[in-house]
Amino acid sequence: DSGVTQTPKHLITATGQRVTLRCSPRSGDLSVYWYQQSLDQGLQFLIQYYNGEERAKGNILERFSAQQFPDLHSELNLSSLELGDSALYFCASSVGTSGIYNEQFFGPGTRLTVL
Amino acid sequence: AQKVTQAQTEISVVEKEDVTLDCVYETRDTTYYLFWYKQPPSGELVFLIRRNSFDEQNEISGRYSWNFQKSTSSFNFTITASQVVDSAVYFCALSASAGNTGKLIFGQGTTLQVKP
């Protein structure tokens, strides 16, 4: 158990819908990362928050957004869902952003299926 | 640009064989970190090792060992006397210091199948 929790574990929805994925980092970790794992794109970095502020953006679609709340949990919002958004979404957390403070621990993932 | 290449898509071995998973990376940063993660069939990502760019010492942890060579930009992972429980997808990842983000750039992964 990495200490990172993600809910829900599975999510099945229809095209055009909007969903919210939730992540609680390990106690003491300030940095939260979101990654998407799909068959065609592999594991890709989406976005990072550090202590409530956006720190870095990767290949995140405009239909997707995220935030980190004062209690440091994070939510990833996916809207206008398309079939191609079906993937495993991972959240990871680390103490900081670099060096020895960047050992990232991953949550169990949320498997999103868009029908 | 930063990139990680795992040229081996799938490897199949028989139990007790040694197996090496290759990882080649590209970065212009002088300070960076390399990682290996294991993804068993259950799906979670398990951290195995982190190495910084200034430490080229090889590391051994039980049946696992890692060979980091800056000259060839490689960070290879060897499993000695493989076991069925080693069957998983293994990812090599790079985190460069530029931008101070710590985001990970993953290779495509190598699926290792260990047969009894």
Side-chain angles (χ1 to χ4, degrees):
Chain A
D1 185 353
S2 67
V4 178
T5 60
Q6 287 186 251
T7 56
K9 198 166 184 176
H10 300 279
L11 200 46
I12 301 174
T13 188
T15 54
Q17 295 298 304
R18 172 190 170 95
V19 297
T20 297
L21 313 184
R22 183 187 166 102
C23 168
S24 292
R26 291 187 320 155
S27 177
D29 284 359
L30 299 178
S31 196
V32 169
Y33 305 79
W34 287 97
Y35 294 88
Q36 179 196 57
Q37 185 177 26
S38 62
L39 280 173
D40 51 346
Q41 298 291 329
L43 255 172
Q44 284 199 108
F45 167 73
L46 294 178
I47 197 165
Q48 178 202 4
Y49 280 81
Y50 178 74
N51 204 20
E53 295 194 0
E54 182 184 302
R55 176 60 69 96
K57 252 183 176 177
N59 296 327
I60 187 167
L61 299 170
E62 283 192 15
R63 301 182 284 108
F64 295 1
S65 65
Q67 54 184 326
Q68 186 179 29
F69 295 87
D71 67 352
L72 300 177
H73 91 270
S74 177
E75 292 181 357
L76 178 67
N77 299 297
L78 316 177
S79 61
S80 302
L81 285 168
E82 302 175 359
L83 295 177
D85 297 327
S86 296
L88 188 52
Y89 291 85
F90 285 107
C91 168
S93 73
S94 64
V95 173
T97 63
S98 64
I100 60 172
Y101 304 112
N102 188 35
E103 184 173 323
Q104 292 182 32
F105 293 86
F106 283 77
T110 293
R111 182 165 296 282
L112 173 67
T113 303
V114 182
L115 300 175
Chain B
Q2 295 162 5
K3 189 178 176 183
V4 176
T5 302
Q6 294 179 255
Q8 303 150 310
T9 306
E10 291 184 26
I11 300 176
S12 181
V13 299
V14 176
E15 211 171 15
K16 296 185 184 174
E17 281 185 28
D18 298 348
V19 57
T20 295
L21 309 182
D22 297 333
C23 172
V24 174
Y25 62 92
E26 294 175 32
T27 180
R28 291 184 179 178
D29 287 334
T30 54
T31 302
Y32 52 89
Y33 290 81
L34 296 164
F35 301 77
W36 277 95
Y37 283 85
K38 173 182 179 180
Q39 187 176 38
S42 52
E44 74 271 24
L45 281 166
V46 179
F47 168 82
L48 295 178
I49 189 171
R50 178 190 64 240
R51 212 77 180 129
N52 76 55
S53 52
F54 299 108
D55 183 1
E56 287 192 72
Q57 268 195 326
N58 291 333
E59 181 151 342
I60 298 175
S61 176
R63 297 184 296 105
Y64 295 171
S65 62
W66 290 269
N67 181 279
F68 176 29
Q69 291 196 336
K70 277 175 90 168
S71 60
T72 55
S73 297
S74 65
F75 185 44
N76 296 337
F77 172 32
T78 297
I79 301 175
T80 303
S82 59
Q83 300 176 1
V84 173
V85 292
D86 296 327
S87 297
V89 182
Y90 290 86
F91 291 94
C92 180
L94 166 71
S95 173
S97 63
N100 195 27
T101 79
K103 66 182 183 184
L104 295 175
I105 297 163
F106 285 90
Q108 286 298 102
T110 297
T111 300
L112 173 65
Q113 184 181 31
V114 181
K115 298 178 182 176

